[in-house]
Amino acid sequence: MKVSFPYMGSAIVYKKLFEFLEHEVVMPPKPTQRTMDLGVKYSPEFACIPLKMVMGTYLEAIEKGAKVLVTSGGHGPCRAGFYGDTHRNILKSLGYDDVELIIFDAPQDNWRAFFRNVQKIRNGVPWHKVINRMYTLYRFVQKLDELEKMVQKIRPYEVNKGQTTQVWNQIHEKFDKVKTRKQLYEVYEECKQMLLSIPTRKVDEKDRIRVGIVGEIYVVMESSINFGIEEILGNLGVEVERSLYLFEWINDNLVPWILRPKRFKEIIKKGQRYIKILIGGHAVETVGHIIDFKERGFDGIVHLMPFACLPELVTQSLIPKISKEIDIPILSLPIDEQTGKANMLTRIEAFIDLLKNRKRGKTREIFIDNIQEDVQEERVVMV
Amino acid sequence: MKEIYIGVDVGSVSTNVVAIDRNVNVLFKTYIRTNGQPIDSVKEGVKQLKEALGDVEVLGVGATGSGRQLAGAILGADVVKNEITAHATATIHFVPDVRTIFEIGGQDSKIIIIKDQMVVDFAMNTVCAAGTGSFLDHQAERLKIPIEQFGDLALSATRPVRIAGRCTVFAESDMIAKQQFGFSKAEIIRGLCDALVRNYLNNVGRGKNLEPPFVFQGGVAANKGIRAAFERELQSKIIVPEHFNVMGAIGSAILAKDYIEKTKTRTNFRGFDATDIDFSTSSFECKGCSNRCEVVKVSMEGKVIAMWGDRCGKWTNSL
């Protein structure tokens, strides 16, 4: 079976999953303008941008020969629940009758359907091998996320602009070749050394700015749709951490409730201070993470939401109240198919200025240590 | 020889160039329509400055506005800063106890909240340009009223007329409907000012506590009709600073001054001869990876002097 999947964040993880199950994998291309054009053209106008982007990705994967598309469903009252069926209908209307769409909904919603899907993608690989390889994959995701968190803490202080991102791309290539757990740990150590050897500037603890990125999973995880916000912030000298990482997502969603890490339950509990009922999407988690970031001493929050996303609109309307009550600045950015970066950059830059001022207690202070970011906002080298 | 700091604000509608001295006295200011030619308008502004001030020593240059990268590259700016920070910097200097700044320009409208001389919150219009200068220009054009007379005409109206403010398209069809009811131009314009201010406060100022003193700046602050509408809506006096239409440029000049004084460095200013040099910009899509970045290239007499827009730094660092 030629298998493909939506592209979101470190997509090599999904590729590994299907490689371990001995499928022929069609790697979907990272979303570009063309992906968006295709998605927008064939999706309903009122749908949110993740649905359109995933649609575009499916069409590009089918062009590359994919016959089976595997994705996760949504649950709760948000539109993500109908993504799967909408995509299926669109594919049918375009005449791709031979393409199968396998949608994994939360196991507890329908155990029988879940296992039917598992059997489909298990591809006849013996169970003991499946379990062993899935454990390897679990560790694979964990190690990759650990490295990514390092990247996000090193990038703001790199001496040679752009180096961290280059190393991160190399790490992806190295991880792509991993086949066994032994290899994984070796590659992990090697990559860690690569990151640690990047020359960085020493910045005083009191001048470090930390920003948490929260919001709907697709726009938070996929850099092609969010303007590469992690890099933008990193280049402005800001450490970032997302509310979502694949490893945590797996722990939170695929591990049975009883065994789930305590942290996830705590985040949900924090979120329920403001949103008491389940409204789908990631609204409760978003609010929970905002509070969690504040408690962990972060300076500000960037909240990403697909334009007209129901759960995140609820979050957005709560933001002034939350921001005031727990005293942390929050910048909400709606994301749709716009390409102009100027407006977005102005907002982000002004927001970072605001965070720095809060820390230093002055608007006009130019800071010698951070002079690079303080006086030149986007990287421009002038001769 | 006078020592000056130059500030440049390149926006969608106007390009402003100012010169300040060490004590932030404004020695020169000019307001030029950008007309889609940012390079020419920056050159023109700097030329005018040179003619007005004669022999001066430039100690530092700041650039702001949506064209700040470009202006910075052409002039050799020391500080390139977003317009929110620049505007706030200038306002805090002239009105130290300011709490709320209304800034309405050609296509952007912003609200900046200040506390203890510090920006604590801001908002900027997202998808809608209702109430910005461009829309007012367009309506003045349609009613055949010079934009300079727009404000006085609005003040002459005796009755208010309700115009829908939610969206400029609706506002325009409402205005036409009211014309057909027989309302005068003056009354309709006053109604429009009310609608735009209402929309701006609801849309941009959503969920924010607006505290006086209020300062109103940006090109639209020239419009007495809008000023009056603000005062009616907020039931409070509005301060319009003397240099209301060039506050962004003044702010960037102040930031340049702070930076130069603090670091004791020499300016990167290319000199006044830069106004005679031939600059050109072009952009291309980098095909190096799937990001497909739109890279901007600025050339000076055929030689590439600045590049930006690439996420990996491949082009930026290639110079």
Side-chain angles (χ1 to χ4, degrees):
Chain A
M1 295 208 292
K2 287 191 165 180
V3 175
S4 194
F5 37 83
Y7 192 109
M8 182 180 84
S10 295
I12 51 171
V13 170
Y14 324 128
K15 181 177 171 211
K16 275 283 155 247
L17 166 71
F18 295 108
E19 276 179 4
F20 283 164
L21 295 169
E22 298 170 21
H23 289 284
E24 194 181 340
V25 180
V26 175
M27 187 69 183
K30 189 170 172 66
T32 56
Q33 190 59 48
R34 180 170 182 268
T35 318
M36 196 185 289
D37 293 344
L38 278 171
V40 168
K41 185 173 173 182
Y42 295 111
S43 307
E45 179 276 329
F46 65 86
C48 31
I49 200 73
L51 181 142
K52 296 177 182 180
M53 291 298 272
V54 171
M55 188 72 238
T57 303
Y58 286 161
L59 293 170
E60 287 187 319
I62 291 169
E63 279 172 11
K64 288 175 76 175
K67 289 285 176 240
V68 176
L69 302 164
V70 185
T71 179
S72 69
H75 64 140
C78 127
R79 278 178 293 198
F82 83 12
Y83 270 32
D85 294 302
T86 309
H87 285 145
R88 204 173 265 150
N89 288 335
I90 294 170
L91 289 174
K92 202 176 268 160
S93 70
L94 292 174
Y96 297 117
D97 292 333
D98 55 342
V99 175
E100 190 185 6
L101 189 60
I102 298 177
I103 303 160
F104 276 87
D105 283 310
Q108 59 265 31
D109 292 356
N110 183 344
W111 285 101
R112 197 167 291 163
F114 182 80
F115 279 112
R116 240 197 335 264
N117 283 340
V118 170
Q119 283 296 28
K120 265 188 206 160
I121 66 160
R122 186 169 67 102
N123 206 11
V125 176
W127 275 110
H128 68 274
K129 276 191 182 172
V130 171
I131 289 166
N132 185 9
R133 288 173 187 177
M134 285 308 115
Y135 181 70
T136 306
L137 187 73
Y138 185 70
R139 290 289 168 222
F140 181 93
V141 179
Q142 182 186 25
K143 293 297 173 204
L144 196 60
D145 279 352
E146 272 177 32
L147 292 171
E148 184 164 32
K149 283 184 179 173
M150 279 177 70
V151 165
Q152 292 163 332
K153 287 192 176 40
I154 292 170
R155 189 184 282 125
Y157 312 117
E158 65 190 6
V159 174
N160 311 315
K161 285 292 179 198
Q163 189 182 0
T164 318
T165 305
Q166 274 172 359
V167 171
W168 178 228
N169 291 338
Q170 288 163 3
I171 289 174
H172 268 241
E173 282 164 26
K174 286 194 189 305
F175 264 69
D176 197 13
K177 297 191 179 75
V178 166
K179 294 219 165 22
T180 62
R181 270 208 293 285
K182 184 168 161 292
Q183 270 180 355
L184 169 71
Y185 296 131
E186 283 166 7
V187 168
Y188 168 73
E189 286 307 324
E190 182 191 351
C191 293
K192 199 168 154 179
Q193 286 314 314
M194 278 163 62
L195 282 172
L196 290 174
S197 62
I198 294 174
T200 52
R201 288 179 295 124
K202 285 275 166 288
V203 175
D204 210 42
E205 188 56 36
K206 69 171 175 31
D207 297 330
R208 294 188 173 209
I209 302 282
R210 292 188 180 86
V211 166
I213 300 178
V214 303
E216 187 274 341
I217 187 165
Y218 188 85
V219 290
V220 167
M221 300 271 281
E222 184 39 50
S223 61
S224 61
I225 188 73
N226 67 21
F227 299 91
I229 191 152
E230 291 173 33
E231 279 175 63
I232 291 177
L233 290 168
N235 290 334
L236 287 168
V238 174
E239 287 181 34
V240 295
E241 191 178 310
R242 295 194 305 257
S243 56
L244 288 149
Y245 290 86
L246 274 178
F247 183 64
E248 286 158 18
W249 187 87
I250 291 169
N251 278 333
D252 299 344
N253 290 279
L254 300 178
V255 174
W257 183 258
I258 310 286
L259 304 170
R260 272 179 207 178
K262 232 172 69 197
R263 199 180 121 70
F264 178 64
K265 293 177 190 170
E266 280 168 10
I267 296 275
I268 294 288
K269 211 181 346 239
K270 285 172 186 164
Q272 282 166 339
R273 259 173 49 189
Y274 291 92
I275 301 180
K276 299 206 171 24
I277 54 169
L278 183 77
I279 57 170
H282 298 85
V284 180
E285 286 99 316
T286 296
V287 176
H289 277 290
I290 290 174
I291 297 169
D292 184 63
F293 278 130
K294 168 69 190 177
E295 287 171 355
R296 288 166 50 210
F298 276 63
D299 301 292
I301 305 285
V302 172
H303 169 235
L304 301 175
M305 54 180 284
F307 188 68
C309 162
L310 178 144
E312 295 305 334
L313 273 171
V314 174
T315 313
Q316 194 192 19
S317 61
L318 284 165
I319 275 178
K321 185 177 167 195
I322 299 171
S323 175
K324 205 170 168 162
E325 284 184 7
I326 66 172
D327 186 37
I328 189 167
I330 305 171
L331 178 70
S332 233
L333 296 170
I335 290 180
D336 204 61
E337 52 169 313
Q338 75 276 48
T339 49
K341 264 172 75 169
N343 186 299
M344 176 106 159
L345 273 174
T346 295
R347 266 169 230 270
I348 292 171
E349 289 165 3
F351 185 68
I352 299 308
D353 277 351
L354 182 153
L355 297 183
K356 286 179 180 169
N357 295 337
R358 262 174 71 101
K359 258 200 151 150
R360 307 167 187 175
K362 264 215 181 104
T363 285
R364 270 178 61 177
E365 189 86 21
I366 295 268
F367 237 62
I368 301 285
D369 299 348
N370 298 359
I371 216 87
Q372 198 66 43
E373 296 89 38
D374 263 13
V375 299
Q376 276 284 345
E377 297 199 305
E378 204 181 334
R379 264 185 306 134
V380 182
V381 174
M382 284 189 263
V383 186
Chain B
M1 190 101 118
K2 268 200 263 335
E3 293 179 324
I4 62 163
Y5 292 93
I6 296 178
V8 183
D9 179 352
V10 183
S12 59
V13 173
S14 73
T15 296
N16 314 320
V17 178
V18 301
I20 58 170
D21 64 10
R22 284 167 187 274
N23 306 319
V24 196
N25 298 312
V26 179
L27 308 174
F28 169 84
K29 61 175 180 181
T30 177
Y31 179 99
I32 301 167
R33 293 243 160 189
T34 307
N35 293 337
Q37 305 281 346
I39 296 183
D40 296 346
S41 57
V42 168
K43 281 182 176 177
E44 178 57 31
V46 175
K47 244 197 203 101
Q48 287 180 15
L49 181 147
K50 175 81 179 138
E51 280 161 18
L53 296 181
D55 261 351
V56 285
E57 189 184 349
V58 178
L59 299 180
V61 180
T64 187
S66 49
R68 57 186 177 274
Q69 300 298 351
L70 186 60
I74 292 171
L75 296 173
D78 304 296
V79 175
V80 179
K81 267 278 173 205
N82 66 78
E83 53 271 30
I84 293 170
T85 302
H87 270 283
T89 302
T91 315
I92 290 165
H93 177 83
F94 292 113
V95 188
D97 60 345
V98 59
R99 290 295 308 277
T100 307
I101 302 171
F102 302 128
E103 196 273 321
I104 306 185
Q107 281 174 5
D108 276 347
S109 51
K110 305 176 192 81
I111 286 183
I112 308 171
I113 312 280
I114 311 280
K115 202 169 176 179
D116 306 328
Q117 305 208 342
M118 218 167 72
V119 177
V120 289
D121 197 4
F122 65 86
M124 192 170 158
N125 60 335
T126 29
V127 284
C128 162
T132 54
S134 302
F135 176 69
L136 288 168
D137 263 355
H138 171 70
Q139 292 308 329
E141 181 76 19
R142 205 174 56 81
L143 296 167
K144 295 280 174 288
I145 303 165
I147 189 81
E148 295 77 20
Q149 294 167 22
F150 205 93
D152 286 322
L153 199 57
L155 293 184
S156 71
T158 47
R159 296 182 293 180
V161 179
R162 174 89 192 178
I163 305 265
R166 176 72 213 277
C167 156
T168 51
V169 177
F170 298 159
E172 183 162 338
S173 49
D174 231 10
M175 285 166 69
I176 293 166
K178 293 287 195 277
Q179 280 168 353
Q180 286 151 351
F181 279 135
F183 285 101
S184 71
K185 272 188 188 179
E187 287 162 339
I188 288 170
I189 285 176
R190 176 178 160 170
L192 181 68
C193 291
D194 284 339
L196 295 185
V197 168
R198 238 189 356 254
N199 180 49
Y200 167 77
L201 291 173
N202 279 338
N203 184 351
V204 185
R206 195 179 9 200
K208 304 209 183 307
N209 282 335
L210 306 177
E211 303 276 345
F214 300 109
V215 174
F216 180 24
Q217 61 200 52
V220 175
N223 191 320
K224 291 178 196 152
I226 299 275
R227 278 189 221 174
F230 263 117
E231 295 190 333
R232 277 196 296 272
E233 188 71 30
L234 293 161
Q235 300 286 314
S236 160
K237 209 177 131 315
I238 306 282
I239 302 164
V240 177
E242 183 192 351
H243 308 291
F244 65 86
N245 59 351
V246 293
M247 292 292 266
I250 295 174
S252 70
I254 295 175
L255 289 166
K257 176 176 106 71
D258 286 355
Y259 166 70
I260 296 287
E261 286 174 357
K262 188 141 191 174
T263 54
K264 302 193 173 43
T265 42
R266 277 189 52 80
T267 178
N268 293 322
F269 182 51
R270 289 187 199 278
F272 287 108
D273 303 343
T275 54
D276 303 323
I277 300 174
D278 180 30
F279 287 97
S280 63
T281 55
S282 57
S283 72
F284 61 92
E285 192 182 61
C286 170
K287 296 200 166 40
C289 77
S290 58
N291 278 335
R292 297 276 188 269
C293 295
E294 187 76 24
V295 184
V296 178
K297 198 161 77 174
V298 182
S299 314
M300 179 168 88
E301 294 181 324
K303 186 170 158 286
V304 180
I305 54 161
M307 288 172 116
W308 64 83
D310 48 343
R311 274 161 53 181
C312 67
K314 174 170 135 184
W315 301 99
T316 311
N317 301 336
S318 69
L319 295 168

